[in-house]
Amino acid sequence: MREYLSAISTKHLCRYVDSCLGASFDCSGFVLQDIVNELGVRLGYQVERGLYRGKRNAVGFDGLWKLANNRDILVEVKTTDYYTINLDTIFKYKKRLVQADRISSDAMVLFVVGMDDSNSLESQIRGSRYAWDARLVSVESLLQLVLIKEKTEDAITLEKIRSLIEPIEYTRLDRLV
């Protein structure tokens, strides 16, 4: 299936995202995880796909995105935020990956959520000690970034898109602008 996802257009991926989020079918979360990782590939990251389900003595993650001279990204895909996510657990995964030399110590965590209503997770991140190392984006917005990248194919635009994903200090707005 991953090979198929890599061969189809981003517009088709958009339809599959809608299917994953709109209709509940077996393994829809796994399909969404694969689509999100494919979006990472299309943004130029080297992607290591994670496990679908936890495994004893294995670090659970949905994806690792890497790019030379950029922060590594530990990706967590959530179809919904109806359930509380234990940020400590996710950042313990990050710590174990750093210790195993699989990601850099300044790696960040990117939560990709399926449903646009992510207020609970946003508040949880904002109020935590991990606020400077975690970001949240909807899968719809991630799709939009890929579509913009494909439309322009400009290296400067691609770099700006990637910088949006990283945590930004908002006191000074110059970088954001």
Side-chain angles (χ1 to χ4, degrees):
M1 186 176 89
R2 291 173 176 169
E3 190 174 316
Y4 170 73
L5 292 175
S6 71
I8 63 174
S9 72
T10 302
K11 293 207 183 273
H12 280 94
L13 290 178
C14 292
R15 281 190 259 160
Y16 290 137
V17 165
D18 289 342
S19 295
C20 288
L21 299 176
S24 180
F25 60 91
D26 283 346
C27 303
S28 62
F30 302 150
V31 174
L32 186 63
Q33 177 180 323
D34 281 336
I35 291 171
V36 166
N37 281 319
E38 177 58 30
L39 294 174
V41 169
R42 292 179 188 206
L43 288 173
Y45 291 95
Q46 178 186 346
V47 173
E48 179 183 338
R49 289 158 174 85
L51 301 172
Y52 293 124
R53 289 192 174 94
K55 209 187 263 188
R56 180 171 277 198
N57 297 325
V59 179
F61 61 86
D62 294 337
L64 295 178
W65 296 3
K66 297 181 176 197
L67 189 66
N69 302 320
N70 283 54
R71 289 173 81 174
D72 294 336
I73 302 173
L74 170 63
V75 176
E76 282 296 317
V77 181
K78 303 297 177 195
T79 55
T80 180
D81 76 340
Y82 292 137
Y83 307 101
T84 303
I85 296 166
N86 187 339
L87 295 179
D88 288 332
T89 300
I90 303 299
F91 279 86
K92 283 179 187 171
Y93 293 161
K94 176 190 164 191
K95 184 178 180 181
R96 287 178 58 194
L97 290 165
V98 168
Q99 289 170 340
D101 204 29
R102 292 183 64 195
I103 59 174
S104 59
S105 61
D106 70 340
M108 58 169 281
V109 175
L110 179 66
F111 292 95
V112 181
V113 294
M115 298 298 183
D116 200 28
D117 181 21
S118 59
N119 293 335
S120 172
L121 183 54
E122 286 177 59
S123 297
Q124 194 177 351
I125 292 169
R126 196 177 302 116
S128 76
R129 64 181 173 198
Y130 307 116
W132 291 106
D133 293 318
R135 284 296 174 261
L136 182 140
V137 66
S138 70
V139 70
E140 294 293 332
S141 291
L142 195 58
L143 278 163
Q144 289 302 312
L145 290 174
V146 170
L147 289 169
I148 291 168
K149 180 251 181 196
E150 290 175 350
K151 195 177 280 187
T152 63
E153 291 299 334
D154 174 45
I156 295 171
T157 301
L158 179 57
E159 191 55 41
K160 288 178 181 180
I161 288 170
R162 290 178 184 146
S163 72
L164 286 173
I165 294 171
E166 289 191 33
I168 300 171
E169 194 276 316
Y170 285 107
T171 304
R172 184 172 180 130
L173 299 177
D174 291 4
R175 181 173 169 213
L176 180 61
V177 172

